[in-house]
Amino acid sequence: MARRSKIASATLIAGALLLTSLGLGGIAASAGPPLPGSGAASSFAATRSGHSMAVSTASSPEDPDGDGYIPANPQVTGVTPSTKEPPHRYFHEFQATCAVTHTRPDDPIVYPGQPGKSHDHTFMGNTTTDANSTTATLDAGTTACRAPGDKSGYWMPTLYKGDRQVLPLGPQVIYYKAGVTDYTSVRPFPKGLRFVVGSPTQTALEFRSHRGFVEGWECGDSFFNVDFPTNCPNRADVQLNIRFQAPSCWDGKYLDTPDHRSHMAYPVVNPGTNNNICPAAHPVALPMIEFKMAFPVNGDLSQVRLASGPAWSFHYDFFNAWDAPTLQALVGHCVVGGLQCDARGYDQTHPEAGAALDANYELP
């Protein structure tokens, strides 16, 4: 495909995705509390520097021509979205528990090879992630994830209270779930797949209407918040939390696209069966990542902000560098197997199923 036609296609897709996020693309916006910042904040978000979501044009070792397209090798073709409904299992998931490693104003997906160009990010998982990270450098790095085979990079805008960074403490839970009804059709991520979930320039309405929105910002008994709660109970056991889900349907063609989104899509409802299936243009079912982050801050939250801007600018990035056999074992045992697994791939309610990994969180 010529670069001109590829970029034109990406522009059309990006426009469709924006309409979808606004609730105008056949997906109704969720009801919720009054939204802050629908006027001035929208203008602020559109002009905020440090992380625009413009089409990438920089070259990198994995994208030498700088057109933003990184083809999968091999591509996955001939897949039809599954409409099957396997035996009901309430869970089909496992956890990747990964600790914070460092902060840095880098983003190897949006600004590859351009250190310091992004707003500040909090990195988890791979200890080496920076602006120059590639699949090969992540493979060669080390990890703060419980499973040594997970060398993926996970990152999000750094949270501040005033001028002080507030970093999640200890392992954070990153769920890998089935986003489609036919959980037996889910396959592992291809090595090197990367994408951005949400946008630093989204408005409050776009954040609330986003397909990945689960419970928004929550603290104590306060849930479904688009903005940070003004106050949280000032107790040691209370933290500021957010849960946000990623798209889980892949086009099978690209590991990345210029807008870092168009190669991925959220499941759609099959009108014939009312099941969640992958759309025809993104037929490959992959694990659905869900960030569940906890920030050790409570009490007066009036000075809390994100490096990317207001609370509704929350977004995150994922760069897959799992050891392929390890990821295959966890997806096959836990997601396809319909279990609720911990980071070892063990389900306490189904001990007879065993675990995917050994006591050291490695393949047996």
Side-chain angles (χ1 to χ4, degrees):
M1 185 184 298
R3 182 182 301 185
R4 179 178 298 176
S5 63
K6 287 195 293 186
I7 292 179
S9 175
T11 302
L12 290 173
I13 294 170
L17 289 174
L18 177 59
L19 290 175
T20 297
S21 69
L22 286 167
L24 302 175
I27 300 171
S30 303
L35 297 173
S38 58
S42 176
S43 175
F44 170 76
T47 58
R48 185 165 59 249
S49 63
H51 202 326
S52 68
M53 292 309 296
V55 170
S56 296
T57 56
S59 63
S60 69
E62 293 176 293
D63 180 22
D65 64 0
D67 72 350
Y69 288 89
I70 301 177
N73 186 17
Q75 295 191 348
V76 177
T77 59
V79 176
T80 301
S82 176
T83 59
K84 293 193 307 181
E85 186 168 355
H88 175 72
R89 298 300 292 266
Y90 191 75
F91 295 103
H92 10 71
E93 65 184 46
F94 69 90
Q95 299 176 9
T97 50
C98 304
V100 169
T101 56
H102 58 289
T103 64
R104 186 168 290 160
D106 288 358
D107 190 325
I109 295 178
V110 179
Y111 295 117
Q114 302 172 75
K117 190 167 182 179
S118 174
H119 58 245
D120 202 65
H121 281 110
T122 295
F123 292 89
M124 295 169 290
N126 200 294
T127 63
T128 69
T129 313
D130 62 19
N132 297 308
S133 290
T134 64
T135 305
T137 66
L138 293 176
D139 261 344
T142 57
T143 184
C145 295
R146 191 157 287 165
D150 185 5
K151 295 186 178 182
S152 302
Y154 308 88
W155 60 97
M156 59 191 172
T158 299
L159 187 86
Y160 289 86
K161 185 172 185 179
D163 294 328
R164 178 178 64 87
Q165 290 183 343
V166 180
L167 305 181
L169 301 175
Q172 298 299 296
V173 178
I174 301 167
Y175 290 102
Y176 283 60
K177 301 182 176 184
V180 293
T181 300
D182 183 9
Y183 55 86
T184 67
S185 69
V186 176
R187 63 180 72 192
F189 291 116
K191 195 68 160 284
L193 182 75
R194 67 211 72 179
F195 52 79
V196 180
V197 184
S199 170
T201 61
Q202 66 204 354
T203 65
L205 174 60
E206 289 170 327
F207 178 60
R208 181 65 183 86
S209 305
H210 198 284
R211 290 288 304 278
F213 189 97
V214 180
E215 293 183 354
W217 294 99
E218 52 187 42
C219 197
D221 294 327
S222 181
F223 301 93
F224 298 104
N225 294 293
V226 172
D227 204 349
F228 298 123
T230 304
N231 287 281
C232 283
N234 192 4
R235 305 197 313 263
D237 62 333
V238 173
Q239 299 189 79
L240 180 67
N241 294 271
I242 189 167
R243 294 169 60 191
F244 212 78
Q245 295 177 343
S248 58
C249 297
W250 179 45
D251 66 6
K253 301 175 182 177
Y254 296 106
L255 301 178
D256 197 12
T257 43
D259 65 358
H260 318 296
R261 291 173 172 77
S262 299
H263 54 311
M264 300 295 298
Y266 285 90
V268 296
V269 176
N270 180 11
T273 62
N274 211 35
N275 290 343
N276 289 329
I277 66 171
C278 283
H282 298 78
V284 184
L286 302 177
M288 185 269 284
I289 287 180
E290 179 182 300
F291 263 36
K292 185 177 181 182
M293 301 290 112
F295 300 88
V297 62
N298 53 34
D300 178 9
L301 301 186
S302 61
Q303 299 300 309
V304 172
R305 60 183 174 86
L306 294 171
S308 52
W312 54 85
S313 71
F314 181 80
H315 59 285
Y316 62 87
D317 301 50
F318 169 67
F319 195 140
N320 176 42
W322 274 90
D323 168 67
T326 303
L327 182 60
Q328 175 67 64
L330 286 165
V331 170
H333 186 69
C334 302
V335 180
V336 174
L339 299 174
Q340 183 184 25
C341 295
D342 60 15
R344 273 192 67 206
Y346 177 74
D347 185 342
Q348 291 185 350
T349 63
H350 290 280
E352 73 282 358
L357 306 179
D358 64 20
N360 296 316
Y361 299 88
E362 297 179 319
L363 287 171

